[in-house]
Amino acid sequence: MNADENRAKLAEIVRNTRVFLLDMDGTVYIEDELIGDMKNTLSALRRAGKRLVYCTNNSSKTAAEYQKKLARLGIWSEEDLVYTSGIATAEYLKEFYPGKRVYLVGTDALKGEFSDAGIALAEEDADVGVLAYDTTLTFEKLVKLNRMIVKGRPYIATHPDAVCPAKDVFPPDVGSFIELLHCSSGKYPDVICGKPYKVMGERIARRLGVAAKEICMVGDRPHTDIRFANNNEFASVLVLSGETDTEAAERTPDRAGAVADSLNSLTVFL
């Protein structure tokens, strides 16, 4: 796609999109620094009637914790929504395992979010095992979940990311835990809810009452954000403000609908 074709595609996407799903780190901000004139960009999208959903795989934090950070950065609006892989997993459990007792390998904050959603949590004799990004992970937790997996209990993971973005060295994320448990149990999760899989996308569309063609995923990672959009038949914009540069964008098999220097580039089409 040449520059003119890409520009025309960006204009079409912005025109047809009702809901923008926004990856955060690398798309809206980098750590605690906003990318460019992000405050005005987000305000302009809202004024144009676009709904903004901050969409993240990180299940170690709750929606409330993310809202607090977004408010601190000056970009949160009450009309916005935070949607995490943890929320998607809780909604999936309520739909397919109603009333079942869940052993959750996750942070205390996520456990609170699950409980608030009506999920019955149990340390023993649980019906379903759930693996989240647990920054308080212990050997005991792994042993309990491994036992459940080997015994054939349903096994669900919030998302597949191998590492979590951070300064200097990236720490292991759920994808690394999945491989560890595969070595010990011989099994992979029955379902993975977060990007790039369909569970999260289906529940976002259902919650907001919009068609897939009216949703656009904007992110900086082809193998999660863009693959997620393609799997769910959403529009997509790959931004070059984070993990991916121009060369990598041309190499990836996960092709976006259009490419932009940053989310800020979309305002010219409003």
Side-chain angles (χ1 to χ4, degrees), residues 180-218:
L180 184 156
L181 286 164
H182 178 255
C183 285
S184 57
S185 71
K187 296 181 180 180
Y188 282 113
D190 300 301
V191 174
I192 301 176
C193 294
K195 296 180 289 186
Y197 298 100
K198 294 185 70 173
V199 171
M200 194 170 180
E202 290 170 348
R203 273 142 195 82
I204 289 173
R206 185 186 306 173
R207 174 183 280 215
L208 298 179
V210 293
K213 65 182 180 180
E214 299 174 305
I215 298 173
C216 176
M217 179 74 220
V218 183

Side-chain angles (χ1 to χ4, degrees), residues 81-156:
L81 177 69
V82 172
Y83 198 87
T84 71
S85 65
I87 294 172
T89 303
E91 291 183 353
Y92 181 86
L93 289 167
K94 289 189 73 174
E95 181 176 356
F96 291 100
Y97 298 95
K100 298 297 183 182
R101 292 157 55 84
V102 173
Y103 177 61
L104 173 61
V105 176
T107 61
D108 287 343
L110 185 64
K111 289 178 180 178
E113 194 167 58
F114 268 47
S115 294
D116 290 344
I119 306 297
L121 300 181
E123 289 295 315
E124 304 293 340
D125 300 320
D127 304 299
V128 182
V130 173
L131 176 64
Y133 184 29
D134 188 358
T135 54
T136 59
L137 185 65
T138 65
F139 182 70
E140 180 185 6
K141 291 180 181 181
L142 287 171
V143 169
K144 281 186 178 181
L145 183 57
N146 185 73
R147 185 179 295 115
M148 291 183 66
I149 296 168
V150 171
K151 288 183 176 180
R153 303 287 171 82
Y155 166 34
I156 297 168

Side-chain angles (χ1 to χ4, degrees), residues 28 46 144 172 200 264:
V28 175
R46 294 186 194 102
K144 281 186 178 181
M200 194 170 180
N264 301 307

